[in-house]
Coordinates of all heavy atoms in Angstrom, one line a residue:
T244 N -15.5 5.7 11.5 CA -14.1 5.2 11.4 C -13.2 6.3 12.0 O -13.5 7.4 12.0 CB -13.7 4.9 10.0 OG1 -13.8 6.1 9.2 CG2 -14.6 3.9 9.4
Q245 N -12.0 5.8 12.5 CA -11.0 6.7 13.1 C -9.7 6.5 12.3 O -9.4 5.4 11.9 CB -10.7 6.4 14.5 CG -11.9 6.7 15.5 CD -11.5 6.4 16.9 OE1 -10.8 5.4 17.2 NE2 -11.9 7.2 17.8
P246 N -8.9 7.6 12.1 CA -7.7 7.4 11.4 C -6.7 6.6 12.3 O -6.7 6.7 13.5 CB -7.2 8.8 11.2 CG -7.9 9.7 12.2 CD -9.2 8.9 12.4
L247 N -5.9 5.8 11.7 CA -4.9 4.9 12.4 C -3.7 5.8 12.9 O -3.3 5.5 14.0 CB -4.4 3.8 11.5 CG -3.6 2.7 12.2 CD1 -4.3 2.1 13.3 CD2 -3.2 1.7 11.1
N248 N -3.3 6.7 12.2 CA -2.2 7.6 12.6 C -0.9 6.8 13.0 O -0.2 7.2 13.9 CB -2.6 8.5 13.7 CG -3.6 9.5 13.2 OD1 -3.7 9.9 12.1 ND2 -4.4 10.0 14.2
R249 N -0.6 5.8 12.2 CA 0.6 5.0 12.5 C 1.3 4.8 11.1 O 0.6 4.6 10.1 CB 0.3 3.7 13.1 CG -0.3 3.8 14.5 CD -0.5 2.5 15.1 NE -1.2 2.7 16.4 CZ -1.7 1.7 17.1 NH1 -1.7 0.5 16.6 NH2 -2.3 1.9 18.2
V250 N 2.6 4.6 11.2 CA 3.4 4.3 10.0 C 4.5 3.4 10.5 O 5.0 3.4 11.6 CB 3.9 5.6 9.4 CG1 4.9 6.3 10.3 CG2 4.6 5.3 8.1
R251 N 4.9 2.5 9.6 CA 6.0 1.6 9.8 C 7.1 1.9 8.9 O 7.0 2.1 7.7 CB 5.6 0.1 9.6 CG 6.7 -0.9 9.8 CD 6.3 -2.3 9.5 NE 5.2 -2.7 10.3 CZ 4.3 -3.6 9.9 NH1 4.5 -4.3 8.8 NH2 3.3 -3.9 10.7
A252 N 8.3 2.1 9.5 CA 9.5 2.4 8.7 C 10.5 1.2 9.0 O 10.8 0.8 10.1 CB 10.2 3.7 9.1
I253 N 10.9 0.6 7.9 CA 11.8 -0.6 8.0 C 13.2 -0.2 7.5 O 13.4 0.3 6.5 CB 11.2 -1.8 7.1 CG1 9.8 -2.1 7.6 CG2 12.2 -2.9 7.1 CD1 9.1 -3.1 6.7
F254 N 14.2 -0.5 8.4 CA 15.5 -0.1 8.2 C 16.3 -1.4 7.9 O 16.5 -2.3 8.8 CB 16.2 0.6 9.4 CG 15.5 1.9 9.7 CD1 14.3 2.0 10.3 CD2 16.2 3.1 9.3 CE1 13.7 3.3 10.6 CE2 15.6 4.3 9.5 CZ 14.4 4.4 10.2
I255 N 16.7 -1.6 6.6 CA 17.5 -2.8 6.3 C 18.8 -2.3 5.6 O 18.8 -1.3 5.0 CB 16.7 -3.8 5.4 CG1 16.3 -3.1 4.1 CG2 15.5 -4.3 6.1 CD1 15.6 -4.0 3.1
G256 N 19.8 -3.2 5.6 CA 21.0 -2.9 4.9 C 22.2 -3.7 5.6 O 21.9 -4.5 6.5
Y257 N 23.3 -3.4 5.1 CA 24.5 -4.1 5.6 C 24.8 -3.7 7.0 O 24.5 -2.7 7.5 CB 25.7 -3.9 4.7 CG 25.6 -4.4 3.3 CD1 25.4 -3.6 2.2 CD2 25.6 -5.8 3.1 CE1 25.2 -4.2 0.9 CE2 25.4 -6.4 1.8 CZ 25.3 -5.5 0.8 OH 25.1 -6.1 -0.5
G258 N 25.6 -4.6 7.7 CA 26.0 -4.3 9.1 C 26.9 -3.1 9.1 O 27.7 -2.9 8.1
E259 N 26.8 -2.3 10.1 CA 27.6 -1.1 10.4 C 27.3 0.0 9.3 O 28.1 0.8 9.1 CB 29.1 -1.5 10.4 CG 29.4 -2.4 11.5 CD 30.9 -2.7 11.6 OE1 31.6 -2.5 10.6 OE2 31.4 -3.1 12.7
A260 N 26.1 -0.1 8.7 CA 25.7 1.0 7.8 C 25.2 2.2 8.5 O 25.1 3.3 7.8 CB 24.7 0.4 6.8
G261 N 24.8 2.1 9.7 CA 24.3 3.3 10.5 C 22.8 3.3 10.7 O 22.2 4.3 11.1
K262 N 22.1 2.1 10.5 CA 20.7 2.0 10.7 C 20.3 2.3 12.1 O 19.4 3.2 12.4 CB 20.2 0.6 10.3 CG 20.5 0.3 8.8 CD 20.1 -1.2 8.5 CE 20.8 -2.2 9.3 NZ 22.2 -2.3 9.0
T263 N 20.9 1.7 13.1 CA 20.6 1.9 14.5 C 21.0 3.3 14.9 O 20.3 3.9 15.7 CB 21.3 0.8 15.4 OG1 20.9 -0.5 14.9 CG2 21.0 1.0 16.8
S264 N 22.1 3.8 14.4 CA 22.6 5.1 14.8 C 21.6 6.2 14.3 O 21.3 7.2 15.0 CB 23.9 5.4 14.2 OG 24.9 4.6 14.8
L265 N 21.0 6.0 13.1 CA 20.0 6.9 12.6 C 18.7 6.9 13.5 O 18.2 8.0 13.9 CB 19.6 6.5 11.2 CG 18.4 7.3 10.6 CD1 18.7 8.8 10.5 CD2 18.1 6.8 9.2
I266 N 18.3 5.7 14.0 CA 17.1 5.6 14.8 C 17.4 6.3 16.2 O 16.6 7.0 16.7 CB 16.7 4.2 15.0 CG1 16.1 3.6 13.7 CG2 15.7 4.0 16.1 CD1 15.9 2.1 13.6
R267 N 18.6 6.0 16.7 CA 19.0 6.7 18.0 C 19.1 8.2 17.8 O 18.6 8.9 18.7 CB 20.4 6.1 18.5 CG 20.3 4.7 18.9 CD 21.7 4.2 19.3 NE 22.3 5.0 20.4 CZ 22.1 4.8 21.7 NH1 21.4 3.8 22.1 NH2 22.8 5.6 22.5
A268 N 19.6 8.7 16.7 CA 19.6 10.2 16.5 C 18.2 10.7 16.5 O 17.9 11.8 17.0 CB 20.4 10.5 15.2
L269 N 17.3 10.1 15.8 CA 15.9 10.6 15.8 C 15.2 10.6 17.1 O 14.4 11.4 17.4 CB 15.1 9.7 14.8 CG 15.4 9.9 13.3 CD1 14.7 8.8 12.5 CD2 14.9 11.3 12.9
H270 N 15.7 9.7 18.0 CA 15.2 9.7 19.4 C 15.9 10.7 20.3 O 15.6 10.8 21.5 CB 15.3 8.3 20.0 CG 14.2 7.4 19.6 ND1 14.3 6.6 18.4 CD2 13.0 7.1 20.2 CE1 13.2 5.9 18.3 NE2 12.4 6.2 19.3
G271 N 16.9 11.4 19.7 CA 17.7 12.4 20.5 C 18.7 11.7 21.5 O 19.1 12.3 22.4
E272 N 19.1 10.5 21.2 CA 20.0 9.8 22.0 C 21.5 10.0 21.5 O 21.7 10.3 20.3 CB 19.7 8.3 22.0 CG 18.3 8.0 22.5 CD 17.9 6.5 22.4 OE1 18.7 5.7 21.8 OE2 16.8 6.2 22.7
A273 N 22.4 9.8 22.4 CA 23.8 10.0 22.0 C 24.3 8.9 21.1 O 23.8 7.7 21.2 CB 24.7 10.0 23.3
I274 N 25.2 9.2 20.2 CA 25.7 8.3 19.3 C 27.2 8.3 19.4 O 27.8 9.4 19.3 CB 25.3 8.6 17.8 CG1 23.8 8.6 17.7 CG2 25.9 7.6 16.8 CD1 23.3 9.2 16.4
E275 N 27.8 7.2 19.5 CA 29.3 7.1 19.5 C 29.7 6.3 18.3 O 29.4 5.1 18.2 CB 29.8 6.3 20.8 CG 29.5 7.1 22.0 CD 30.1 6.4 23.2 OE1 31.3 6.0 23.1 OE2 29.5 6.4 24.3
L276 N 30.3 7.0 17.3 CA 30.6 6.3 16.0 C 31.5 5.1 16.3 O 32.5 5.2 17.0 CB 31.3 7.3 15.1 CG 30.4 8.5 14.7 CD1 31.1 9.4 13.8 CD2 29.2 8.0 13.9
G277 N 31.2 4.0 15.7 CA 32.0 2.8 15.8 C 31.8 2.0 17.1 O 32.5 1.0 17.3
K278 N 31.0 2.5 18.0 CA 30.8 1.9 19.3 C 29.4 1.2 19.5 O 29.2 0.5 20.4 CB 30.9 2.9 20.4 CG 32.2 3.7 20.4 CD 33.3 2.9 21.0 CE 34.6 3.8 21.0 NZ 35.7 3.1 21.5
E279 N 28.5 1.4 18.5 CA 27.2 0.8 18.6 C 27.2 -0.7 18.4 O 27.8 -1.2 17.4 CB 26.3 1.5 17.5 CG 24.8 1.1 17.6 CD 24.2 1.8 18.8 OE1 24.5 2.9 19.1 OE2 23.4 1.1 19.5
P280 N 26.7 -1.5 19.3 CA 26.7 -2.9 19.1 C 25.8 -3.3 18.0 O 24.8 -2.6 17.6 CB 26.2 -3.5 20.4 CG 25.4 -2.4 21.1 CD 26.0 -1.1 20.6
M281 N 26.1 -4.4 17.3 CA 25.3 -4.9 16.2 C 23.9 -5.3 16.7 O 23.8 -5.8 17.8 CB 26.0 -6.2 15.6 CG 27.3 -5.9 14.9 SD 27.0 -5.5 13.2 CE 28.5 -5.8 12.5
T282 N 22.9 -5.1 15.9 CA 21.6 -5.4 16.2 C 21.4 -6.9 16.1 O 21.5 -7.4 15.0 CB 20.6 -4.6 15.3 OG1 20.8 -3.2 15.4 CG2 19.1 -5.0 15.7
P283 N 21.0 -7.6 17.1 CA 20.7 -9.0 17.0 C 19.3 -9.3 16.5 O 18.3 -9.1 17.3 CB 20.9 -9.6 18.4 CG 20.6 -8.4 19.3 CD 20.9 -7.1 18.5
G284 N 19.1 -9.7 15.3 CA 17.7 -9.9 14.8 C 17.0 -8.7 14.4 O 17.5 -7.9 13.6
I285 N 15.9 -8.4 15.0 CA 15.1 -7.2 14.7 C 14.7 -6.5 16.0 O 14.3 -7.1 17.0 CB 13.7 -7.6 14.0 CG1 14.0 -8.4 12.7 CG2 12.9 -6.4 13.7 CD1 12.8 -9.1 12.2
E286 N 14.9 -5.2 16.0 CA 14.5 -4.4 17.2 C 13.4 -3.4 16.7 O 13.6 -2.8 15.7 CB 15.7 -3.6 17.8 CG 16.7 -4.5 18.5 CD 17.8 -3.8 19.2 OE1 17.8 -2.5 19.2 OE2 18.7 -4.4 19.7
I287 N 12.3 -3.3 17.4 CA 11.2 -2.4 17.1 C 11.1 -1.4 18.1 O 11.0 -1.7 19.3 CB 9.9 -3.2 16.9 CG1 10.0 -4.3 15.9 CG2 8.7 -2.3 16.6 CD1 8.9 -5.3 15.9
R288 N 11.1 -0.1 17.7 CA 10.9 1.0 18.6 C 9.9 2.0 18.1 O 9.7 2.2 16.9 CB 12.2 1.8 18.7 CG 13.3 1.0 19.4 CD 14.6 1.8 19.6 NE 14.3 2.9 20.5 CZ 15.3 3.8 20.9 NH1 16.5 3.7 20.4 NH2 15.0 4.8 21.7
D289 N 9.1 2.6 19.0 CA 8.1 3.6 18.6 C 8.7 5.0 18.6 O 9.6 5.2 19.4 CB 6.9 3.5 19.6 CG 6.1 2.3 19.4 OD1 6.2 1.6 18.4 OD2 5.4 1.9 20.4
W290 N 8.3 5.8 17.8 CA 8.8 7.2 17.7 C 7.6 8.1 17.4 O 7.0 8.0 16.3 CB 9.8 7.3 16.6 CG 10.4 8.7 16.5 CD1 11.2 9.4 17.4 CD2 10.4 9.5 15.3 NE1 11.6 10.6 16.9 CE2 11.1 10.7 15.6 CE3 9.8 9.4 14.1 CZ2 11.2 11.8 14.7 CZ3 9.9 10.5 13.2 CH2 10.6 11.6 13.5
P291 N 7.2 9.0 18.3 CA 6.2 10.0 18.0 C 6.7 11.0 17.0 O 7.7 11.7 17.2 CB 5.8 10.6 19.3 CG 7.1 10.4 20.2 CD 7.7 9.2 19.6
V292 N 6.1 11.1 15.8 CA 6.5 12.1 14.8 C 6.2 13.5 15.4 O 5.1 13.8 15.7 CB 5.7 11.9 13.5 CG1 6.2 12.9 12.4 CG2 6.0 10.5 13.0
P293 N 7.3 14.3 15.4 CA 7.1 15.7 16.0 C 6.0 16.5 15.4 O 5.8 16.5 14.1 CB 8.5 16.3 15.8 CG 9.4 15.2 15.6 CD 8.6 14.1 15.0
D294 N 5.3 17.2 16.2 CA 4.3 18.2 15.7 C 3.1 17.5 15.0 O 2.4 18.1 14.2 CB 4.9 19.3 14.9 CG 5.9 20.0 15.6 OD1 5.8 20.3 16.8 OD2 7.0 20.4 15.0
T295 N 2.9 16.2 15.3 CA 1.8 15.5 14.7 C 1.2 14.5 15.7 O 1.8 14.4 16.8 CB 2.2 14.6 13.5 OG1 2.9 13.5 13.9 CG2 2.9 15.4 12.4
D296 N 0.1 13.9 15.4 CA -0.4 12.8 16.3 C -0.1 11.5 15.7 O -0.8 10.5 15.9 CB -1.9 13.0 16.5 CG -2.7 13.0 15.2 OD1 -2.1 13.1 14.1 OD2 -4.0 12.9 15.3
I297 N 0.9 11.4 14.9 CA 1.3 10.2 14.2 C 2.4 9.5 15.0 O 3.3 10.1 15.5 CB 1.8 10.4 12.8 CG1 0.7 11.0 11.9 CG2 2.4 9.2 12.1 CD1 1.1 11.5 10.6
K298 N 2.3 8.1 15.1 CA 3.3 7.4 15.8 C 4.0 6.5 14.7 O 3.3 5.7 14.0 CB 2.8 6.5 16.9 CG 3.8 5.7 17.6 CD 3.2 4.8 18.7 CE 2.7 5.7 19.8 NZ 2.3 4.9 21.0
A299 N 5.3 6.5 14.6 CA 6.1 5.7 13.7 C 6.6 4.5 14.5 O 7.0 4.6 15.6 CB 7.2 6.4 13.1
H300 N 6.6 3.3 13.8 CA 7.2 2.1 14.4 C 8.4 1.8 13.5 O 8.3 1.5 12.3 CB 6.2 0.9 14.3 CG 4.9 1.2 15.0 ND1 4.7 1.2 16.4 CD2 3.7 1.5 14.5 CE1 3.5 1.5 16.7 NE2 2.8 1.7 15.6
F301 N 9.6 1.9 14.1 CA 10.8 1.7 13.4 C 11.2 0.2 13.6 O 11.4 -0.3 14.7 CB 11.9 2.5 14.0 CG 11.8 4.0 13.7 CD1 12.5 4.9 14.5 CD2 11.1 4.5 12.6 CE1 12.4 6.3 14.2 CE2 10.9 5.8 12.4 CZ 11.6 6.7 13.2
W302 N 11.4 -0.5 12.5 CA 11.8 -1.9 12.5 C 13.3 -1.9 12.1 O 13.6 -1.6 10.9 CB 11.0 -2.8 11.6 CG 9.6 -3.0 12.0 CD1 8.7 -2.1 12.5 CD2 8.9 -4.2 12.1 NE1 7.5 -2.7 12.8 CE2 7.6 -4.0 12.5 CE3 9.3 -5.5 11.7 CZ2 6.7 -5.0 12.7 CZ3 8.4 -6.5 11.9 CH2 7.1 -6.3 12.4
D303 N 14.2 -2.2 13.0 CA 15.6 -2.1 12.8 C 16.1 -3.6 12.6 O 16.2 -4.3 13.6 CB 16.3 -1.4 14.0 CG 17.8 -1.3 13.8 OD1 18.3 -1.6 12.7 OD2 18.4 -0.9 14.8
F304 N 16.4 -4.0 11.4 CA 16.9 -5.3 11.1 C 18.4 -5.4 11.2 O 19.1 -4.5 10.7 CB 16.5 -5.7 9.6 CG 15.0 -6.1 9.5 CD1 14.0 -5.1 9.5 CD2 14.7 -7.4 9.3 CE1 12.7 -5.4 9.3 CE2 13.3 -7.7 9.1 CZ 12.3 -6.7 9.1
G305 N 18.9 -6.5 11.8 CA 20.3 -6.7 11.9 C 20.9 -6.9 10.5 O 20.3 -7.5 9.6
G306 N 22.1 -6.3 10.3 CA 22.7 -6.3 9.0 C 23.6 -7.5 8.7 O 24.2 -7.6 7.6
Q307 N 23.8 -8.4 9.7 CA 24.8 -9.5 9.5 C 24.2 -10.4 8.4 O 23.0 -10.6 8.3 CB 25.0 -10.2 10.8 CG 25.6 -9.4 11.9 CD 24.6 -8.6 12.7 OE1 23.4 -8.6 12.4 NE2 25.0 -7.8 13.7
V308 N 25.1 -11.1 7.7 CA 24.7 -12.0 6.7 C 23.7 -13.0 7.2 O 22.7 -13.4 6.4 CB 25.9 -12.7 6.1 CG1 25.5 -13.8 5.1 CG2 26.8 -11.7 5.4
M309 N 23.8 -13.5 8.4 CA 22.9 -14.5 8.9 C 21.4 -14.0 9.0 O 20.5 -14.8 9.1 CB 23.3 -15.1 10.2 CG 23.3 -14.1 11.4 SD 23.6 -14.7 13.0 CE 25.1 -15.5 12.9
F310 N 21.2 -12.7 9.0 CA 19.9 -12.1 9.2 C 19.3 -11.7 7.8 O 18.2 -11.2 7.8 CB 19.9 -10.9 10.1 CG 20.2 -11.3 11.5 CD1 21.3 -10.7 12.2 CD2 19.5 -12.3 12.2 CE1 21.6 -11.1 13.5 CE2 19.8 -12.6 13.5 CZ 20.9 -12.0 14.1
H311 N 20.1 -11.8 6.7 CA 19.6 -11.4 5.4 C 18.3 -12.1 5.0 O 17.5 -11.5 4.3 CB 20.6 -11.5 4.4 CG 21.7 -10.5 4.5 ND1 22.7 -10.3 3.5 CD2 22.0 -9.5 5.4 CE1 23.5 -9.3 3.9 NE2 23.1 -8.8 5.1
A312 N 18.1 -13.3 5.5 CA 16.8 -14.0 5.1 C 15.6 -13.3 5.7 O 14.5 -13.5 5.2 CB 16.9 -15.5 5.6
T313 N 15.7 -12.5 6.7 CA 14.6 -11.8 7.3 C 14.2 -10.6 6.5 O 13.2 -10.0 6.8 CB 14.9 -11.4 8.8 OG1 16.0 -10.5 8.8 CG2 15.2 -12.6 9.7
H314 N 15.1 -10.2 5.6 CA 14.8 -8.9 4.8 C 13.9 -9.1 3.6 O 13.7 -8.2 2.9 CB 16.2 -8.4 4.3 CG 17.1 -8.0 5.4 ND1 18.4 -7.5 5.1 CD2 17.0 -8.0 6.7 CE1 19.0 -7.3 6.2 NE2 18.2 -7.6 7.2
Q315 N 13.5 -10.3 3.4 CA 12.7 -10.6 2.2 C 11.4 -9.8 2.2 O 10.4 -9.9 2.6 CB 12.5 -12.1 2.0 CG 13.8 -12.8 1.8 CD 13.6 -14.3 1.6 OE1 12.5 -14.8 1.5 NE2 14.7 -15.0 1.7

């Protein structure tokens, strides 16, 4: 057997709470407060965990009321 070395992190919460900004910051991307567009649905991004052989899969759920049913 081989280790999987993967982890899933799910980001849920109200709209404009900073979920997408946190993911962008972890990727070393620029963040403009109040300028980030709302996430439509779910966005999935991979992130290699620094100094490890682990890959994280970030699931960024839209925070608008119409997407709350996807948070179950």
Side-chain angles (χ1 to χ4, degrees):
T244 62
Q245 292 181 321
L247 188 57
N248 292 337
R249 294 183 188 167
V250 64
R251 178 182 303 156
I253 300 173
F254 295 80
I255 60 173
Y257 293 110
E259 298 181 339
K262 300 175 299 293
T263 301
S264 295
L265 174 58
I266 292 170
R267 289 178 57 89
L269 288 169
H270 280 87
E272 299 172 1
I274 300 167
E275 294 184 44
L276 297 177
K278 305 283 185 181
E279 189 70 41
M281 293 268 202
T282 303
I285 305 167
E286 291 184 2
I287 302 171
R288 293 184 65 181
D289 292 339
W290 181 64
V292 179
D294 303 320
T295 71
D296 59 349
I297 298 172
K298 183 183 288 189
H300 303 284
F301 291 158
W302 290 48
D303 183 8
F304 282 74
Q307 300 84 357
V308 173
M309 67 172 55
F310 296 122
H311 285 188
T313 65
H314 297 179
Q315 297 179 10

